[in-house]
Amino acid sequence: MIIDKISNTINYRKLFVTGTAVLAVSAAMAGTYKVVVPLSEDEEGAMAYLSNYDTGENIDSVLVADNKAVFTGKLDKAIAARMMLDGKRTGVFFVEPDAEVVLDVKTNEAKGGALNAAKAGFAAKERELVAAFVPLPTRQPKRPYTKNTWPSATA
């Protein structure tokens, strides 16, 4: 019985040490992010929220100071995010570990990080494709009116 107690104590110690090591490694792997959002004097003193776009979870909140909101923290992986201020939401942008993002709320463009750069590249290609299709005719030629040939619901 004493051997069982000693054995269980050793197993709990191993579990505790292993769990602590995993947490330490996870914390070490997490990278620091920074999101800077330039704003106007009207937003001075307002509360700004950074939230995970996929889960809706609030990641950070800051008071707007010096005409900008500056979010900083740690992430272990990149996330799709959006900022909320006075009930208004920005477009989706990416927050990555070890990256600084500058978000322009007027254009909803985020600069900084590999994923935001890729998103900007896709957006540029999309604008190019839309511009190529805009000059095409948008109306179908007029056809003569034809009576509905579907059977009547009252028949």
Side-chain angles (χ1 to χ4, degrees):
M1 181 147 192
I2 294 175
I3 294 174
D4 289 336
K5 287 184 180 181
I6 294 170
S7 177
N8 286 339
T9 303
I10 291 171
N11 286 338
Y12 286 123
R13 283 186 185 157
K14 284 182 183 176
L15 183 62
F16 177 74
V17 169
T18 303
T20 304
V22 167
L23 288 174
V25 169
S26 297
M29 292 174 61
T32 303
Y33 71 85
K34 183 174 184 181
V35 178
V36 179
V37 187
L39 298 163
S40 69
E41 287 182 14
D42 294 338
E43 286 93 12
E44 191 73 21
M47 184 64 76
Y49 300 91
L50 182 67
S51 63
N52 184 317
Y53 179 76
D54 294 323
T55 66
E57 172 189 2
N58 279 338
I59 298 166
D60 197 0
S61 60
V62 296
L63 285 173
V64 176
D66 298 325
N67 298 337
K68 61 185 170 186
V70 180
F71 302 95
T72 56
K74 291 196 175 280
L75 284 176
D76 57 350
K77 63 181 181 178
I79 61 163
R82 74 175 357 157
M83 187 196 76
M84 289 179 38
L85 178 71
D86 291 334
K88 298 175 191 166
R89 296 181 175 130
T90 64
V92 178
F93 60 96
F94 295 97
V95 180
E96 301 172 60
D98 300 321
E100 181 173 330
V101 175
V102 177
L103 176 65
D104 184 340
V105 293
K106 292 178 185 160
T107 62
N108 274 325
E109 290 182 8
K111 295 185 177 166
L115 293 173
N116 287 317
K119 183 181 177 207
F122 286 126
K125 184 66 174 172
E126 180 184 33
R127 285 190 298 273
E128 181 184 315
L129 290 171
V130 168
F133 284 102
V134 167
L136 297 176
T138 57
R139 296 187 66 167
Q140 296 290 328
K142 288 189 176 185
R143 295 184 180 154
Y145 175 77
T146 57
K147 188 174 181 178
N148 187 354
T149 57
W150 288 95
S152 171
T154 58

